Amino acid sequence: MPVKPLTVDQLYKPAHAESLPASTRRAKAFNDFLGQDRAREAVHMALAMPHDGYNIFAVGSNGLGKRTMIKRLLQEMAEDMPPASDWCYLNNFVDPRKPMALQLPPGKGALLQKALVKLWRQLSRAILTTFQHEAYQGRVEGLKGELSSAQQEALQDLALEGEKRGLKLVLRTPGGHGFSPVNDKGEVMNVEEFNTLPQDEQDKRKKAMVDMEERMQKLADKLGKLEEINRDQVQKLNEEVALATIKPLFQRVYDQFNDLKPFTDYLDAYQQDVVDNIDLILNAHDSEQDAVASVTSDNAIPSRYQVNVVVTHNPKKGAPVVFEDLPTHYNLMGHVEQVTYMGTVATDFTLIRAGSLHRANGGFLMLEAEQVLEQPYAWQGLKRALKSRAIKQSSLEQMLTLTGTISLEPDPIPLHLKVVLLGDPETFYLLQEYDPEIQQLFKIRADFAGVMPRSLENEQRYGHFLADCVAKEKLLPFDRSALMSLIEESARSADDQHKLSLHAASVGDLLREAHFWAKSEEAKQVTARHVRLALDGQERRRGQLREYYLEDIAHGTQLLTVDGGAVGQINGLTVIHYADSEFGMPSRITVTVHHGGGEVLDIERTVDMGGPLHAKGVLIFSSYLKSRFGRERPLHFSASIAFEQNYGGVDGDSATLAELVALVSAISGIPVLQGMGITGSMNQVGEVQPIGGINAKIEGFFAACQLKGISGKQGVVMPVQNVRNLMLRPDVLAAVDQGQFVIYAISKAEEALELMLGMPMGQPDSKGRYPDDSITGRVLKQLKRWQKAERDDHGEGVGKKNKGKKKGGKKGSDKEAAA
C-alpha cells in the first residue's frame, strides 16, 4: 500500500482555546512545582524528616526554575517555623584565645550589644568621677601619708643611731641613702680628712659604717614591705570603691537579661575583670589605643569588653532562607579577620565574621553544587559541618601553610538546618561516583523533569503559570491568542506534540521580549503576533551561522540539487548545534559502487571524521542489504560512502536510511529524487527507527528548497515515530497546505526506497523472478552481472591452467576442464 503524505493537522497541534482565560488578568497565579510532582514529593519528604542526612540534592538541567520553585516552597514553610536564634561571641577573660559563643532568642543580639555599650559608657564615666572625688583622693592620700610617716620615722631613728656612732645619714646619687663619717663639727669628712684619723679610729668608723649599712638594708626591706602593704591597701580601696560604683550598673543589665544564665555568668566575669583592671580605665587616655578596637565601629570601647553579634534574626519573620551565590570556604563557614596596626598583625573575637551557614542556621541554605565544588575546600568544609552538626572556625592559612601562627579557637556553634544543593545530572552522577559520602549527607534526590504531559488540564495549569510569570515581571497582560502561541511554542521546544517544556528561563525571556514588542507598538496587551515577533527576533539574533550556510547554497558553494534525479546521490538531513542555537541543513551523500568483495567503505570513518554511531549505522544497513540480496550467494561488489563537503565530522545514525537508499540507487542505477530529503535510522531487519531534531531538519530542507525554488515536488521522508514530534513553523505548514511541499512518514526501509527511487520494490512471480521495472529486479540484475563477471574471471584462470597441463603431455577430461 503506498505511503500517504501527512496532513497539516498531523504537522502541528494547536492549543485548546477553551482551556485558557481571555487574558492573564483573569488567571490566578500558579507556580507550585508545575509539572514537577516527583520533585515536590521528594522536597516535602526531606523537609518533614527530622533526622540527620535528609538534605536535598535537586537534580535537573539548568533553566528549569529549580531554585525559584524550591525557594518559594521553603519561604512558605519558613513563615510557619519559629525564628532562628541570634548568636554572638564574647570575650573569654580566662582564655582570650577561646571566645565564648552565646545563643540568644531572636532579636536579642542587638539589644544585648546596645546594653553592653551603654554599660561600658556608664561605668567608665562613673569610675572616673568616683576616683576623682575628694573623698577618694583623701583616703588615698591618708594611706600614702601613713606610709610616708612610717618611712620618715624609721629613717630618723636610724639617723640618730648613726650620729651616736659618729656617722651621718646622707643621700647619695645614685644609690639612695648611706652613712658617712663626720668630724667634731658634725660635717661629713672627705677622704683626706678621714685618712688623718688614727688607725684604730678609722677601723672603728669603718666597722660602724658596715654595721649601719646592714641595718639600713634591713630597714629598706621593711620599708619595701610597708610599701607593698600600702599598695595592697590602695588596691583594696580601689576595688571596694570600683565595685561599689559599678555594681548597681551591672545589676541593671542582670535584671534585663536574668533569664540568660550563660550571659549572667559572663557579666560576673566582666565585672571582676573591670575591678581587677581598674587602671586600664583610669589611664585610658594615656595608654595606646587597642589595635583591634581601632578598626571597630565603636573604638572608644576596649575590644575585650565588646560583644560580637555574628548573626541576628527578626523575631517576626520565621526561619531564614539563604541562597549563597559565592560559596567559598570563608563565605560558607565564616572566618576570623586580622588587623595590621603600626606594623603588628592582631586579631580577637570581635573580628569573627559569620558565614552563610551561620545565617541559615535554624532554617534553610541553598547552594549551586557546581559553584561549591569549584571553590577550594568549600565542599570539604560543608561536609564536615553537616557531619558534626556544628560550625567550627578554621583558618585556611594554617591548613595550607602548616604554620604555627597564633589564631583563635572560638566555641563551635551547633548546626540545625536543611541544605539544598542545585545541580545538573552530570554533577550529581560524578559526585555519586567519586564521593560516597554524598549518600549519607544528601539522602533525598529531587529529580526535576524537563517536560510534562500536554493534556487539557496541564495546558490550563501552564496558562496559570504564565500568568504568574507575567505578574511577577509586571508585564503587559497576555491575551488568549498569546497564551495559545506560548503553549504551542513550549510543545515545539519539547520536540513533542504531547509534551510541554518546563524550561522556565527560555519562557521568561520570550515573555519579556513579547512584552517589549507590544510596548513598542503601544498596545494594551500582548497578542500572538507579538509572540511571533519575539520568536522571529530570537531566530534572527541567533541565525548568523545559518545565514552563512544558506548563502553558500544560494551561491553554489555548497552543492545541492532539489529537482530531477541522480544515481547514487541523496539529500540527507542534519542538525547543526552552535552555542545556544540549532538549525537543520541538507547534506549531500554520495555512493559509488564497483565490482568487489562486498565491502562498504565508510570514508568518514576511515579518515577519523565519523563517530561510532555513524559507523554503526553503516554496518547495520550493510547487514540489511546482505540479508535481503545476498542470502544465497555472496555480493560481488564494493561501495564507498561519503558526506560531501563535510569538514567538521559527523556522528549519529540518522543518515542510515539515506545511505541505504543511495547505495541501492548506485547498485540498481535508479536515480534518487533530488527534491526529497530523508532522515531516519533503521535496524538490521529494515524497521525504521526515530531520530532527533526532526523539526529543524524539515525546516532546514524547506529553507534550502525556497532558495533553489519551490517546484511543488519537494518534500521530506521521515520515521513514522517522529510524527508526534512535529511542531513545524507556519511557513512550512502553509506550503504543505498549498501542496507545494510534502512530508511522508514511513515505518519500513522498503517504503523509503520506493518513495526516494520512485519505483516499487516489486513482488516475485511463481519462479521467484522480479519484474525488471522494480527496485529488487534492478538490483538483482546488476548483482548477477557482477557474479557473472566473477565467474568469467575465474573460468579464464582455470582454462589457462589446463592448457598448460596438456602441453606437459597430460590429458584432462571435459568435466575437469569445466571445473
Side-chain angles (χ1 to χ4, degrees):
M1 180 178 245
V3 179
K4 294 182 179 180
L6 299 178
T7 62
V8 175
D9 293 340
Q10 294 175 287
L11 307 181
Y12 195 86
K13 182 179 179 181
H16 298 87
E18 67 274 10
S19 66
L20 301 173
S23 170
T24 53
R25 283 198 189 100
R26 302 183 180 180
K28 183 180 178 181
F30 174 84
N31 192 26
D32 183 20
F33 283 75
L34 176 67
Q36 306 291 357
D37 295 336
R38 181 182 290 103
R40 177 174 52 192
E41 179 185 350
V43 173
H44 279 290
M45 177 68 179
L47 299 181
M49 295 295 287
H51 309 289
D52 293 349
Y54 281 89
N55 299 296
I56 304 167
F57 201 120
V59 182
S61 59
N62 295 330
L64 293 178
K66 303 186 295 294
R67 186 202 310 179
T68 302
M69 285 185 276
I70 292 179
K71 188 174 183 179
R72 179 177 293 192
L73 175 62
L74 296 181
Q75 288 174 336
E76 291 175 358
M77 295 193 65
E79 290 176 358
D80 299 327
M81 294 172 61
S85 300
D86 288 1
W87 284 93
C88 65
Y89 276 105
L90 302 169
N91 184 33
N92 185 340
F93 296 104
V94 177
D95 187 355
R97 289 188 64 250
K98 297 182 178 180
M100 299 183 297
L102 178 65
Q103 184 178 10
L104 299 169
K108 283 277 190 178
L111 296 176
L112 184 142
Q113 187 177 43
K114 185 177 179 180
L116 289 185
V117 170
K118 182 179 179 181
L119 172 65
W120 169 259
R121 291 174 177 170
Q122 288 178 339
L123 69 86
S124 60
R125 284 197 300 266
I127 289 173
L128 289 173
T129 301
T130 299
F131 280 77
Q132 291 173 357
H133 196 272
E134 293 178 358
Y136 168 76
Q137 295 292 338
R139 293 181 65 180
V140 173
E141 290 300 325
L143 291 174
K144 291 181 179 179
E146 291 176 3
L147 175 63
S148 179
S149 297
Q151 289 175 336
Q152 291 178 4
E153 184 179 349
L155 286 174
Q156 287 175 0
D157 292 342
L158 190 63
L160 291 174
E161 183 75 21
E163 289 176 1
K164 293 177 181 180
R165 304 181 65 174
L167 302 173
K168 185 176 181 179
L169 184 65
V170 296
L171 182 63
R172 297 173 179 170
T173 304
H177 292 84
F179 286 92
S180 296
V182 296
N183 55 24
D184 295 340
K185 295 178 180 180
E187 297 174 349
V188 176
M189 301 171 67
N190 56 30
V191 177
E192 293 79 4
E193 189 178 358
F194 181 78
N195 290 334
T196 61
L197 295 175
Q199 188 61 42
D200 56 344
E201 184 63 24
Q202 288 184 21
D203 294 341
K204 179 180 179 182
R205 294 287 184 96
K206 288 180 180 179
K207 182 178 180 183
M209 287 171 63
V210 172
D211 183 50
M212 291 307 295
E213 290 286 350
E214 291 178 355
R215 293 182 65 180
M216 188 175 63
Q217 184 60 44
K218 292 180 181 178
L219 178 61
D221 294 341
K222 181 179 180 182
L223 292 178
K225 292 179 180 179
L226 288 176
E227 288 179 358
E228 187 176 345
I229 292 172
N230 184 265
R231 283 195 298 270
D232 291 342
Q233 289 174 339
V234 173
Q235 179 66 28
K236 186 176 181 181
L237 174 63
N238 289 344
E239 292 177 357
E240 291 175 356
V241 172
L243 187 59
T245 303
I246 67 176
K247 191 170 184 179
L249 303 177
F250 274 90
Q251 189 60 46
R252 296 174 192 172
V253 184
Y254 274 112
D255 296 339
Q256 186 179 356
F257 299 97
N258 58 6
D259 55 334
L260 299 174
K261 180 65 170 61
F263 180 63
T264 56
D265 293 341
Y266 166 78
L267 284 178
D268 291 336
Y270 185 174
Q271 178 176 280
Q272 187 60 46
D273 190 76
V274 171
V275 172
D276 294 341
N277 298 280
I278 199 68
D279 291 339
L280 295 178
I281 302 173
L282 296 175
N283 303 319
H285 296 290
D286 299 330
S287 59
E288 288 189 8
Q289 189 179 30
D290 185 349
V292 177
S294 65
V295 298
T296 60
S297 57
D298 195 345
N299 53 22
I301 304 176
S303 59
R304 65 190 291 116
Y305 298 133
Q306 293 185 24
V307 55
N308 181 9
V309 181
V310 292
V311 62
T312 184
H313 298 283
N314 190 328
K316 298 180 180 179
K317 287 194 175 180
V321 178
V322 176
F323 175 77
E324 178 57 64
D325 59 350
L326 184 60
T328 64
H329 181 274
Y330 281 159
N331 286 352
L332 279 175
M333 311 297 299
H335 63 289
V336 181
E337 293 180 342
Q338 294 180 335
V339 175
T340 302
Y341 183 76
M342 297 181 67
T344 302
V345 178
T347 188
D348 68 12
F349 74 98
T350 62
L351 297 181
I352 297 174
R353 300 292 179 252
S356 51
L357 283 174
H358 294 89
R359 294 190 295 274
N361 199 8
F364 308 98
L365 175 62
M366 300 176 63
L367 300 167
E368 291 283 355
E370 188 173 348
Q371 294 178 358
V372 177
L373 295 172
E374 286 175 352
Q375 301 297 329
Y377 299 97
W379 177 242
Q380 291 84 347
L382 177 63
K383 290 194 299 180
R384 185 168 59 249
L386 292 177
K387 286 189 290 186
S388 63
R389 297 190 64 83
I391 311 172
K392 300 176 182 178
Q393 295 289 347
S394 59
S395 170
L396 282 183
E397 289 82 359
Q398 282 186 312
M399 293 168 57
L400 296 176
T401 62
L402 303 176
T403 62
T405 305
I406 295 176
S407 184
L408 300 182
E409 297 179 12
D411 283 347
I413 293 178
L415 184 63
H416 303 282
L417 85 168
K418 294 284 185 180
V419 177
V420 180
L421 276 183
L422 309 169
D424 54 34
E426 291 79 9
T427 303
F428 177 74
Y429 297 140
L430 283 173
L431 275 175
Q432 270 196 323
E433 182 175 357
Y434 293 107
D435 192 345
E437 291 180 329
I438 191 76
Q439 295 288 358
Q440 288 81 40
L441 298 176
F442 293 87
K443 296 183 177 180
I444 298 296
R445 184 180 75 186
D447 282 319
F448 281 77
V451 295
M452 72 175 182
R454 183 183 175 187
S455 62
L456 189 66
E457 179 186 359
N458 281 346
E459 283 191 5
Q460 186 177 20
R461 295 174 66 199
Y462 197 85
H464 290 300
F465 162 72
L466 294 174
D468 179 81
C469 296
V470 169
K472 185 171 65 175
E473 295 281 345
K474 298 180 181 179
L475 307 177
L476 289 173
F478 283 58
D479 70 2
R480 178 179 286 126
S481 68
L483 294 177
M484 292 177 64
S485 182
L486 288 166
I487 290 173
E488 291 160 8
E489 180 60 25
S490 176
R492 177 178 164 85
S493 298
D495 276 331
D496 197 325
Q497 294 179 353
H498 307 288
K499 301 284 185 181
L500 291 175
S501 172
L502 296 175
H503 198 273
S506 59
V507 172
D509 293 340
L510 185 56
L511 288 172
R512 286 184 284 270
E513 292 175 24
H515 163 84
F516 165 80
W517 288 105
K519 199 79 173 175
S520 64
E521 295 181 355
E522 298 183 355
K524 295 183 178 179
Q525 60 183 0
V526 181
T527 65
R529 192 174 71 84
H530 299 128
V531 175
R532 174 47 55 187
L533 286 173
L535 289 170
D536 291 342
Q538 289 181 351
E539 186 172 350
R540 280 194 303 275
R541 293 193 299 274
R542 301 170 183 171
Q544 185 177 35
L545 188 63
R546 176 175 178 270
E547 289 180 3
Y548 289 157
Y549 271 84
L550 291 176
E551 284 181 7
D552 287 344
I553 292 174
H555 297 156
T557 306
Q558 186 78 24
L559 300 179
L560 178 68
T561 305
V562 294
D563 55 12
V567 175
Q569 176 178 299
I570 194 167
N571 290 322
L573 304 181
T574 63
V575 176
I576 298 172
H577 298 273
Y578 175 72
D580 59 344
S581 65
E582 68 172 27
F583 58 91
M585 276 290 134
S587 178
R588 175 179 287 182
I589 302 172
T590 58
V591 178
T592 59
V593 294
H594 54 276
H595 185 200
E599 301 87 5
V600 176
L601 175 65
D602 178 9
I603 293 178
E604 312 300 325
R605 184 67 172 174
T606 303
V607 297
D608 292 329
M609 292 182 67
L613 293 180
H614 175 258
K616 179 181 178 182
V618 172
L619 294 174
I620 285 175
F621 82 72
S622 300
S623 298
Y624 165 79
L625 199 65
K626 291 175 181 178
S627 67
R628 183 171 182 86
F629 299 108
R631 179 174 298 179
E632 297 179 358
R633 60 183 63 86
L635 300 178
H636 300 282
F637 77 94
S638 294
S640 298
I641 300 175
F643 277 71
E644 304 297 341
Q645 295 182 285
N646 168 41
Y647 308 108
V650 61
D651 198 9
D653 61 351
S654 63
T656 308
L657 274 178
E659 292 168 326
L660 171 67
V661 173
L663 179 57
V664 172
S665 169
I667 296 172
S668 64
I670 305 172
V672 180
L673 299 177
Q674 298 299 292
M676 300 297 292
I678 184 171
T679 181
S681 172
M682 62 176 286
N683 59 25
Q684 292 188 103
V685 297
E687 294 175 331
V688 175
Q689 300 170 152
I691 43 81
I694 187 63
N695 291 298
K697 290 177 177 179
I698 294 175
E699 291 166 1
F701 187 68
F702 178 76
C705 291
Q706 282 182 312
L707 280 178
K708 290 289 187 177
I710 292 289
S711 63
K713 297 181 180 179
Q714 291 120 344
V716 167
V717 177
M718 54 167 274
V720 69
Q721 299 95 326
N722 286 119
V723 172
R724 65 173 293 143
N725 305 117
L726 293 175
M727 289 293 290
L728 296 173
R729 283 197 323 242
D731 55 343
V732 181
L733 297 177
V736 172
D737 189 43
Q738 296 168 13
Q740 296 179 340
F741 199 74
V742 65
I743 300 174
Y744 293 99
I746 58 171
S747 59
K748 297 179 181 179
E750 292 81 4
E751 295 172 343
L753 290 167
E754 291 179 344
L755 286 170
M756 297 301 296
L757 300 179
M759 186 177 291
M761 289 297 296
Q763 296 295 328
D765 58 16
S766 58
K767 296 182 179 180
R769 292 175 296 187
Y770 286 82
D772 291 340
D773 58 350
S774 67
I775 297 173
T776 307
R778 294 280 189 92
V779 170
L780 292 177
K781 188 175 182 180
Q782 180 61 41
L783 292 176
K784 287 178 180 178
R785 290 196 192 101
W786 282 324
Q787 185 180 8
K788 183 175 182 300
E790 179 78 15
R791 285 201 304 267
D792 291 344
D793 291 344
H794 184 68
E796 285 182 5
V798 172
K800 290 179 181 179
K801 185 177 180 181
N802 288 338
K803 287 178 183 179
K805 288 182 178 179
K806 287 181 180 179
K807 286 181 181 179
K810 248 185 181 180
K811 285 189 177 181
S813 67
D814 294 338
K815 188 175 183 180
E816 290 176 338

